[in-house]
Amino acid sequence: MRRGRSPLAPSLWQVGLTYLALGLASVFVLFPLYWLLITSFKLPVDVNSGPVYLPWVDFKPSLHAWEYVLGTLGSDVRRAYVNTAVVALCSALMALFLGTNAAYALTRFQYHPRVGAIVLFVACLALVVGLVASGMPWQPAVGLGLVGLILGLQTLGRRFKKHLGNEEIALWLISNRILPPVVVVIPIYLLFQQLGLLDTRTALIISYTVINLPIAVWLMRDYFQNIPHDIEECAQIDGASRYRIFWTIVLPLAAPGLVATFLLLLVFAWNEYLLALFLSKANSQTMPLMVAAMSGTRGTEWWYMSVIIMLMILPVVILAFVLERYIERGLIVGAVKG
Amino acid sequence: MKKVENKLQQAGLWIRFVGWLERRAATVFLLPSVLVILAFVLFPLVGSLYSSLARLRFSEGGLELTFVGLANYRKLLLGSEQGHFLGQPGAGLWALVVMGLLALVLGVVMYHRWRAGRSVWIWLGQPLLGGLLLLAFTWLFLSRLWPGTRMGTLQTTLFYVMAGTALQYLLGLGLALLCAERLPGTRFFRVLFILPLAITPIGVAYMFRMLTDTGKGPLVPLWEAMGLSGFSWVNDPWGARLAVLIGDVWQWTPFAFIVLLAALQSVPQEQVEAAAVDGASRWQVFRHIIFPYLLPASATLVLIRLIEGFKIVDLPNILTNGGPGTATESITLHAYFAWRTLDIGTAAALGFLLMLLVSLITSLYAAWILPRARGQV
């Protein structure tokens, strides 16, 4: 009957339903964004007088907010923009690089971290904390702890044979994200103060890399798991090193996952607020801080805020358009056949 | 002659180095990440643990942390802050009925495992431990649902996390499946559905405050048409919670969407086509071929959203300021309010209680759901 068509080709009403569902979801997604866009062209009086919906029909659009943000605030916004871009790109790339390596390792090798060693590590840590709390300067205390750890590992640690596995390592990695940032900002602030990195992009890059790393590991681990091992085994028989296999075979195959993960990491770093609030002042200020700053002593200035949010979305949209094509099907199938 | 020897020696060293690298590949791949995390996580963790056992006091020459032991925890669990954190229970008959049913199910599971001759830990220890926890949570949640009782920040957070994660996953899965169909225009939708992620959470919170404004928000005519104009739904506890939930779902559904969309690419098309040729229905294809390939990514996605969801703070803070009363206050917001009044000890204690709760839920999840989803059972 319907010769030549794939048996999976949807019928007409299925296509219709699909578009209907997509359309409804788009309205849900787009309406808030539309409201934001028109608010950025409204005069304060239009915002405060009650809802108006259509430019040129309900109200006369004005560029006053854009002029203020790009003109009067121009240099601040430009600096914040560059800061955000640099910090987000660097930290996303670093987290992706480290996380991809770790994720690959966790899917292809077996690890056996010994319980004895972990207990010993925690004990030494407690020792160091105790010493510092009782008034010892931190440098000798840490040194003492390290010596204790190494001595202990060489002697006591070998006695205990019980060990954990890869799943436990992965869980430990993700568990580092459990503590709410409100609780850890003060110690992190003190840490970067000690390192002399307050109000620098470096501090933000480091902290975003650390907080995003577990997510990179977990997401990439799943994509690697679905990549068949046969290809790698063939390459290994042909004499390729582990690193060469990883870079030239596994990574290209994981491209959809890599792109999706990169986008997510970038967006998380792009939008982070609380740590930026603490670790930066004028020099390394990022865009989310500018958004929050628009709600100050004069009430919330919705029109300026909308402009800044619009500016923040723009690069992500462009990047999403550029990278979207790499989240595509078909790479794996071809590689296995060839 | 000497030169050649030197070169040979260098080459030998290089080969030995490469060989060493190859043997140590497992370490080289994993160790950097572990070290980076250890270096930057340990100190904040220890620091905040200490501050949860201390109180900030004004003294000569500034502020001072004094050690107070478990006083902060006692205050939250038993003392003056108990109602705020754990809510106020009412005697609930149907909560008891639900718990009785749960206990019955647990008993059946234990009986089956015992009949199957599993070890004592598997048939007695595991279900008892997990089951008691489950019962305790059910009680904590259900006994605070009636009129006259009050939900604490714990219950509110649990509500956001459970309802939010479920909605985000289902919506994200549906959209990913629709977008994976090769229809014209899906590229546009793919980019469109990622957009909400691109807005900083604090921006999303302000945006939803604009949208839910009962005087000048865009939905006002809609409320009036529904006869709700007099009813200020952000002043109703469940109305306000719903507003926060919708904001959360709006922002985080794209996360599920993009992860699942990428995972869909690893489904082998031949299998799908073959099944369709053999006459499998669309539901059967999804259930038996596509879904198993999505399971590992789904399990991870839900785990990440569970962990992240517990930290919800910007949305209730800006949208409702935690109100009405404490109806929309999450645990992190509770900690943030405590912290803003310089009660750093209580804030840190709340953080660690939250960590305990999330660790519990994650370890239950890791023990029961993850291995099955990742195909290890």
Side-chain angles (χ1 to χ4, degrees):
Chain A
M1 259 159 38
R2 294 187 313 185
R3 197 164 296 172
R5 289 187 68 192
S6 155
L8 271 186
S11 61
L12 202 61
W13 70 272
Q14 276 170 333
V15 172
L17 268 185
T18 305
Y19 278 119
L20 185 72
L22 287 174
L24 280 179
S26 324
V27 170
F28 180 59
V29 169
L30 273 181
F31 183 72
L33 290 172
Y34 170 74
W35 193 251
L36 208 65
L37 183 69
I38 60 167
T39 303
S40 75
F41 290 110
K42 283 178 184 174
L43 287 169
V45 62
D46 291 325
V47 175
N48 288 325
S49 62
V52 283
Y53 299 90
L54 296 169
W56 291 289
V57 180
D58 278 345
F59 67 96
K60 204 169 137 15
S62 133
L63 282 173
H64 79 108
W66 289 86
E67 275 161 11
Y68 176 76
V69 169
L70 296 176
T72 320
L73 281 181
S75 61
D76 284 353
V77 172
R78 261 194 300 282
R79 195 179 50 213
Y81 217 75
V82 173
N83 283 336
T84 316
V86 170
V87 168
L89 273 174
C90 290
S91 69
L93 285 174
M94 273 168 68
L96 188 68
F97 175 72
L98 288 171
T100 311
N101 279 298
Y104 179 71
L106 285 174
T107 51
R108 297 297 191 268
F109 302 104
Q110 275 303 316
Y111 293 90
H112 307 285
R114 275 173 303 175
V115 178
I118 296 166
V119 171
L120 204 69
F121 178 77
V122 174
C124 287
L125 187 70
L127 178 77
V128 173
V129 172
L131 285 175
V132 173
S134 59
M136 196 169 178
W138 67 270
Q139 293 93 338
V142 170
L144 213 65
L146 273 179
V147 171
L149 181 65
I150 292 166
L151 279 180
L153 279 183
Q154 296 301 325
T155 53
L156 270 177
R158 303 205 164 183
R159 297 275 172 104
F160 299 95
K161 292 281 184 256
K162 192 162 171 51
H163 61 76
L164 303 172
N166 289 8
E167 282 302 309
E168 281 78 14
I169 299 180
L171 266 181
W172 170 74
L173 282 172
I174 195 87
S175 72
N176 286 304
R177 282 197 66 104
I178 291 179
L179 211 59
V182 185
V183 175
V184 286
V185 279
I186 295 176
I188 289 178
Y189 178 88
L190 293 174
L191 180 70
F192 281 108
Q193 196 181 36
Q194 282 288 315
L195 295 172
L197 288 174
L198 279 187
D199 201 15
T200 61
R201 291 175 193 161
T202 320
L204 290 179
I205 293 174
I206 292 175
S207 46
Y208 291 176
T209 305
V210 174
I211 59 172
N212 281 334
L213 183 54
I215 291 193
V217 176
W218 270 79
L219 291 177
M220 287 317 299
R221 203 165 67 120
D222 292 326
Y223 299 127
F224 285 145
Q225 211 186 24
N226 282 347
I227 293 178
H229 293 212
D230 330 5
I231 315 166
E232 284 167 70
E233 277 156 19
C234 290
Q236 211 161 15
I237 291 167
D238 289 348
S241 78
R242 275 280 176 191
Y243 305 94
R244 179 171 231 184
I245 293 173
F246 177 63
W247 280 98
T248 57
I249 299 176
V250 179
L251 282 190
L253 282 179
L258 272 176
V259 171
T261 309
F262 175 71
L263 267 179
L264 284 172
L265 296 178
L266 185 85
V267 155
F268 287 156
W270 187 263
N271 291 333
E272 206 285 334
Y273 171 69
L274 195 75
L275 280 172
L277 181 68
F278 274 80
L279 297 179
S280 61
K281 290 184 190 72
N283 287 328
S284 64
Q285 198 186 34
T286 57
M287 291 297 278
L289 297 180
M290 305 259 342
V291 173
M294 290 303 128
S295 172
T297 44
R298 276 174 293 171
T300 308
E301 292 166 307
W302 299 113
W303 35 97
Y304 301 145
M305 188 181 275
S306 306
V307 174
I308 294 181
I309 295 178
M310 281 286 139
L311 286 176
M312 274 191 76
I313 303 177
L314 199 66
V316 181
V317 177
I318 295 171
L319 208 70
F321 258 112
V322 174
L323 290 182
E324 183 271 341
R325 76 183 69 185
Y326 294 101
I327 311 181
E328 266 297 345
R329 186 194 311 274
L331 284 163
I332 293 182
V333 181
V336 178
K337 276 185 189 158
Chain B
M1 211 48 189
K2 194 100 184 165
K3 219 172 174 182
V4 174
E5 228 167 67
N6 237 342
K7 270 227 167 117
L8 272 178
Q9 210 170 11
Q10 271 177 5
L13 269 179
W14 177 245
I15 289 169
R16 272 168 62 190
F17 175 66
V18 169
W20 177 83
L21 264 187
E22 187 67 18
R23 268 178 280 117
R24 291 279 165 195
T27 315
V28 176
F29 274 117
L30 186 64
L31 199 64
S33 299
V34 172
L35 285 183
V36 162
I37 288 201
L38 270 185
F40 285 93
V41 164
L42 273 183
F43 177 70
L45 193 73
V46 173
S48 55
L49 181 64
Y50 178 72
S51 60
S52 82
L53 301 171
R55 186 168 296 153
L56 197 69
R57 285 216 179 91
F58 291 95
S59 63
E60 312 158 44
L63 298 160
E64 193 182 285
L65 271 178
T66 33
F67 188 79
V68 293
L70 291 173
N72 292 319
Y73 292 93
R74 207 177 305 130
K75 185 171 73 178
L76 282 167
L77 294 175
L78 306 166
S80 57
E81 285 277 290
Q82 192 197 24
H84 192 175
F85 180 55
L86 295 176
Q88 264 151 10
L93 196 65
W94 66 278
L96 287 177
V97 171
V98 172
M99 285 172 71
L101 283 177
L102 270 177
L104 202 69
V105 171
L106 201 68
V108 171
V109 169
M110 283 165 78
Y111 177 73
H112 272 285
R113 290 188 173 182
W114 177 67
R115 283 294 302 271
R118 312 288 288 270
S119 68
V120 175
W121 168 242
I122 298 283
W123 79 260
L124 184 68
Q126 229 185 34
L128 209 60
L129 205 71
L132 283 181
L133 270 170
L134 196 70
L135 284 180
F137 273 116
T138 317
W139 170 250
L140 262 179
F141 201 73
L142 287 185
S143 64
R144 267 88 170 161
L145 279 180
W146 299 212
T149 61
R150 198 176 69 153
M151 271 165 79
T153 49
L154 174 72
Q155 285 87 6
T156 312
T157 312
L158 276 173
F159 166 72
Y160 290 150
V161 172
M162 298 303 163
T165 309
L167 280 174
Q168 288 154 24
Y169 179 73
L170 291 177
L171 280 176
L173 179 64
L175 292 180
L177 287 172
L178 290 180
C179 280
E181 300 266 355
R182 292 294 188 77
L183 293 175
T186 41
R187 269 201 77 181
F188 165 74
F189 289 112
R190 286 176 181 206
V191 176
L192 179 72
F193 293 146
I194 302 174
L195 279 188
L197 266 184
I199 305 181
T200 175
I202 205 157
V204 173
Y206 276 113
M207 198 172 77
F208 271 84
R209 205 168 101 189
M210 255 195 287
L211 293 174
T212 54
D213 194 299
T214 43
K216 15 181 221 263
L219 300 177
V220 171
L222 200 68
W223 301 137
E224 279 170 0
M226 280 158 52
L228 283 173
S229 57
F231 173 68
S232 180
W233 60 295
V234 262
N235 285 333
D236 173 72
W238 280 104
R241 278 180 204 130
L242 214 60
V244 172
L245 185 68
I246 291 173
D248 198 48
V249 169
W250 189 84
Q251 170 144 52
W252 291 110
T253 300
F255 178 68
F257 170 74
I258 188 171
V259 172
L260 291 174
L261 191 65
L264 270 174
Q265 312 307 318
S266 68
V267 180
Q269 274 315 94
E270 294 97 331
Q271 278 187 32
V272 176
E273 302 263 342
V277 169
D278 289 348
S281 71
R282 293 191 146 243
W283 166 250
Q284 283 171 326
V285 170
F286 171 72
R287 174 69 192 78
H288 296 290
I289 296 171
I290 299 179
F291 193 60
Y293 276 94
L294 298 183
L295 264 177
S298 300
T300 297
L301 161 70
V302 170
L303 178 68
I304 292 178
R305 275 314 298 157
L306 276 180
I307 289 177
E308 300 297 304
F310 273 101
K311 296 193 284 190
I312 181 170
V313 59
D314 291 327
L315 213 52
N317 183 22
I318 286 160
L319 198 58
T320 58
N321 202 15
T326 58
T328 53
E329 204 172 310
S330 67
I331 297 181
T332 310
L333 188 58
H334 187 176
Y336 176 67
F337 285 152
W339 178 83
R340 218 169 43 181
T341 55
L342 282 182
D343 193 352
I344 289 171
T346 306
L350 271 167
F352 272 87
L353 285 174
L354 179 63
M355 186 164 105
L356 209 67
L357 174 73
V358 183
S359 314
L360 247 167
I361 292 177
T362 4
S363 35
L364 287 182
Y365 185 85
W368 284 346
I369 298 174
L370 268 185
R372 289 178 175 80
R374 298 175 64 83
Q376 284 151 350
V377 167

